[in-house]
Amino acid sequence: MNTLSVKVTRKVEEAEGIASFELTSASGTPLPPFSAGSHIDVHVRDGIVRQYSLCNDPTEQHRYLIAVLRDPSSRGGSEAMHDEVAEGAILQISEPRNHFPLSPSARTLLLAGGIGVTPLLCMAERLAQIGATFTMHYCTRSSQRTAFRERIAQSQFADRVDFHFDDGPADQKLDLSNVLGAPTSDVNVYICGPTGFIEHVLKSAKALGWPDSQLHLEYFGAKPIDTSHDEDFEVKVASTGRCYKVPADKSVAAVLIENGIDIPLSCEQGVCGTCITRILDGQPDHRDMYFTSDEKAKNDQFTPCCSRSKGKLLVLDI
Ligand code: FES
């Protein structure tokens, strides 16, 4: 995987527990362009790769801006970003990839929960630039935990953003049935935030009759996956012809590593792409957030750290 070297040129405490990092090219050349909704993988330190959405204006090529929520319950990536990455540090990152692109529509509704504001802020910049009609609702626990308030207040789209604080009065809380209303075909809804926030919005939207095709979402962190119906299957290592049973409670990568087969791992949740393995036969059950839908549809590679098999056998090109 190609990586880019970038320098942390600014680190700013944007809100309680949230720091932003401005990244510029270490070589001084323009950074690869990106579209609203894109993310980059950041190699935080050895063995830790994390995915962060770009939240700056997508016309900028002199910098990328990411924001990181310190999450003590996570596996160390966010704390390392906060505690170990200072201004002047050099980081390796991937080129931007976009799994959460904006589609044209007459109206756009952006619903952000907490740090999930990052890709939606980038979308708001883009929509404002092209003169599109949109509104944004930004829900956080409190005003102290609300990143980019000042930036939004200073932006050309300030009047299209409503803030909602969990600890604020009842009349400013997000009223989803009112905000979403009855579905109309000319509206696209983009939702990003923690799992609880997304599930809550989805439940309300579905109850109002919104079709999946108009609800676009990106989970902050790994998407919850129902593993209760997981079954055993086998993987075959093409180079040796040997088969290994993958029980319901183990990943393909874990089984292969136990059997002495080297599978490089980093995030172990389908985010970074480090473990990508080619498939020669069989149909994978993709559970990653790394591949785009088109890449997944080809079924010629998968992420053995989290993805499984739809059939009884997967033949791996290793
Ligand atoms: Fe990151 Fe598998 S280890 S996608």
Side-chain angles (χ1 to χ4, degrees):
M1 228 175 314
N2 286 340
T3 57
L4 307 167
S5 281
V6 289
K7 185 171 180 175
V8 178
T9 41
R10 264 190 105 204
K11 178 178 176 182
V12 175
E13 205 63 30
E14 298 285 353
E16 201 179 306
I18 300 175
S20 71
F21 297 79
E22 180 187 70
L23 312 174
T24 56
S25 161
S27 65
T29 52
L31 292 164
F34 67 99
S35 51
S38 295
H39 68 268
I40 52 171
D41 299 334
V42 175
H43 297 250
V44 181
R45 65 163 129 88
D46 269 2
I48 297 190
V49 181
R50 292 291 178 268
Q51 205 171 45
Y52 296 109
S53 295
L54 298 177
C55 59
N56 53 312
D57 176 342
T59 59
E60 293 179 347
Q61 266 189 275
H62 67 290
R63 66 171 193 155
Y64 294 145
L65 190 69
I66 58 171
V68 180
L69 169 70
R70 180 191 285 278
D71 180 1
S73 64
S74 76
R75 296 171 314 133
S78 68
E79 297 208 301
M81 285 296 289
H82 275 260
D83 298 336
E84 297 169 26
V85 179
E87 287 184 2
I90 300 290
L91 291 173
Q92 300 302 310
I93 63 168
S94 69
E95 292 199 359
R97 291 166 64 87
N98 198 342
H99 294 173
F100 191 40
L102 270 173
S103 312
S105 59
R107 275 195 307 128
T108 301
L109 184 56
L110 306 175
L111 302 177
I115 192 66
V117 72
T118 47
L120 302 186
L121 196 49
C122 191
M123 288 182 180
E125 295 276 4
R126 174 69 186 150
L127 292 166
Q129 274 159 15
I130 60 174
T133 303
F134 75 98
T135 43
M136 176 165 162
H137 292 268
Y138 181 10
C139 304
T140 60
R141 285 164 60 182
S142 64
S143 66
Q144 296 84 346
R145 289 178 168 267
T146 305
F148 304 118
R149 267 191 96 174
E150 196 46 41
R151 171 173 157 193
I152 292 170
Q154 300 297 328
S155 72
Q156 54 170 321
F157 52 85
D159 59 343
R160 289 183 241 174
V161 182
D162 282 344
F163 292 91
H164 308 276
F165 306 120
D166 290 352
D167 66 352
D171 63 357
Q172 54 86 61
K173 299 263 167 81
L174 178 63
D175 177 355
L176 276 173
S177 44
N178 188 31
V179 164
L180 286 162
T184 48
S185 59
D186 59 349
V187 178
N188 270 319
V189 184
Y190 295 83
I191 312 153
C192 186
T195 309
F197 175 80
I198 293 184
E199 302 295 317
H200 172 60
V201 175
L202 283 183
K203 204 169 148 203
S204 305
K206 298 228 166 112
L208 290 162
W210 283 83
D212 287 344
S213 58
Q214 286 170 254
L215 303 172
H216 309 270
L217 38 122
E218 185 163 80
Y219 284 88
F220 174 70
K223 185 173 164 182
I225 284 173
D226 177 8
T227 57
S228 58
H229 302 295
D230 284 356
E231 289 183 5
D232 297 358
F233 59 95
E234 289 203 329
V235 285
K236 183 172 177 178
V237 172
S239 60
T240 62
R242 293 191 63 176
C243 289
Y244 303 94
K245 182 174 163 184
V246 182
D249 61 348
K250 274 196 182 162
S251 70
V252 174
V255 168
L256 293 173
I257 290 167
E258 267 173 28
N259 285 284
I261 296 156
D262 185 30
I263 299 287
L265 290 177
S266 177
C267 71
E268 296 185 56
Q269 50 182 348
V271 168
C272 69
T274 302
C275 65
I276 290 172
T277 302
R278 280 180 42 77
I279 290 173
L280 299 176
D281 202 7
Q283 207 184 356
D285 178 4
H286 294 288
R287 297 184 177 182
D288 63 279
M289 293 182 292
Y290 182 82
F291 294 123
T292 60
S293 327
D294 289 349
E295 287 168 337
K296 284 180 180 164
K298 288 189 192 152
N299 285 332
D300 59 352
Q301 49 185 349
F302 84 138
T303 52
C305 67
C306 62
S307 297
R308 299 184 65 81
S309 174
K310 288 195 172 153
K312 282 287 166 204
L313 180 70
L314 271 186
V315 182
L316 308 180
D317 187 14
I318 46 180

XYZ file of all heavy atoms in Angstrom, residues 264-276 288 290 303-306, ligand 1:
137
model
N -0.201 -10.264 7.884
C 0.065 -8.989 8.577
C -1.230 -8.379 9.080
O -2.234 -8.353 8.372
C 0.706 -8.115 7.485
C 0.336 -8.742 6.197
C 0.046 -10.192 6.444
N -1.229 -7.921 10.301
C -2.439 -7.352 10.900
C -2.135 -5.979 11.474
O -1.020 -5.719 11.895
C -2.936 -8.241 12.050
C -3.534 -9.592 11.699
C -3.893 -10.345 12.984
C -4.764 -9.446 10.821
N -3.153 -5.136 11.500
C -2.992 -3.868 12.208
C -4.266 -3.560 12.982
O -4.354 -3.781 14.171
C -2.632 -2.751 11.231
O -2.549 -1.562 11.934
N -5.294 -3.051 12.285
C -6.499 -2.607 13.013
C -7.346 -3.772 13.521
O -8.039 -3.662 14.519
C -7.350 -1.721 12.106
S -8.156 -2.627 10.781
N -7.313 -4.892 12.788
C -8.128 -6.082 13.095
C -9.618 -5.797 13.148
O -10.381 -6.475 13.823
C -7.667 -6.743 14.409
C -6.254 -7.277 14.286
C -5.815 -8.029 15.517
O -6.512 -8.974 15.903
O -4.770 -7.650 16.088
N -10.051 -4.749 12.449
C -11.493 -4.501 12.379
C -11.928 -4.034 10.989
O -12.935 -3.364 10.850
C -11.945 -3.541 13.463
C -11.144 -2.288 13.553
C -11.613 -1.380 14.699
O -12.661 -1.595 15.285
N -10.846 -0.362 14.985
N -11.138 -4.404 9.986
C -11.568 -4.115 8.621
C -11.485 -2.666 8.216
O -12.227 -2.216 7.334
N -10.563 -1.947 8.829
C -10.470 -0.522 8.546
C -9.236 -0.173 7.709
O -9.297 0.654 6.810
C -10.456 0.267 9.885
C -10.064 1.712 9.673
C -11.820 0.196 10.555
N -8.110 -0.839 8.001
C -6.842 -0.331 7.447
C -6.398 -0.989 6.145
O -5.615 -0.413 5.405
C -5.741 -0.484 8.483
S -5.305 -2.208 8.798
N -6.825 -2.191 5.858
C -6.415 -2.868 4.632
C -5.103 -3.619 4.733
O -4.648 -4.229 3.760
N -4.468 -3.630 5.892
C -3.158 -4.290 6.044
C -3.224 -5.782 5.725
O -2.285 -6.352 5.196
C -2.648 -4.099 7.493
O -2.575 -2.717 7.751
C -1.290 -4.740 7.718
N -4.326 -6.433 6.054
C -4.393 -7.897 5.942
C -4.953 -8.378 4.602
O -5.156 -9.591 4.433
C -5.255 -8.445 7.075
S -6.979 -7.909 6.945
N -5.185 -7.484 3.666
C -5.865 -7.869 2.411
C -5.239 -9.126 1.784
O -4.020 -9.218 1.628
C -5.811 -6.709 1.392
C -6.709 -5.583 1.871
C -6.242 -7.175 0.001
C -6.590 -4.323 1.037
N -15.728 -5.574 6.123
C -14.773 -4.484 6.358
C -15.378 -3.149 5.944
O -16.445 -3.092 5.332
C -13.511 -4.729 5.534
C -13.832 -4.704 4.052
O -14.307 -5.728 3.527
O -13.688 -3.640 3.421
N -13.104 -1.097 4.451
C -11.966 -0.648 3.649
C -12.330 -0.593 2.161
O -12.115 0.404 1.498
C -10.783 -1.601 3.868
C -9.558 -1.161 3.111
C -8.722 -0.180 3.629
C -9.263 -1.703 1.861
C -7.613 0.247 2.918
C -8.166 -1.278 1.152
C -7.343 -0.308 1.686
O -6.259 0.120 0.973
N -10.683 -9.099 3.639
C -9.883 -8.787 4.825
C -10.085 -9.915 5.846
O -11.114 -9.963 6.535
C -10.331 -7.443 5.442
O -11.737 -7.477 5.643
C -9.981 -6.270 4.552
N -9.119 -10.826 5.955
C -9.315 -11.996 6.833
C -9.353 -11.669 8.318
O -9.673 -12.540 9.132
C -8.114 -12.889 6.499
C -7.094 -11.980 5.923
C -7.854 -10.884 5.224
N -9.072 -10.419 8.697
C -9.162 -10.072 10.126
C -10.610 -10.049 10.587
O -10.880 -10.217 11.772
C -8.505 -8.724 10.400
S -9.354 -7.324 9.649
N -11.555 -9.804 9.665
C -12.951 -9.688 10.105
C -13.942 -10.314 9.124
O -15.037 -10.688 9.527
C -13.313 -8.212 10.315
S -13.190 -7.238 8.822
Fe -6.864 -3.824 9.217
Fe -7.533 -6.302 8.502
S -5.980 -5.697 9.819
S -8.265 -4.463 7.675
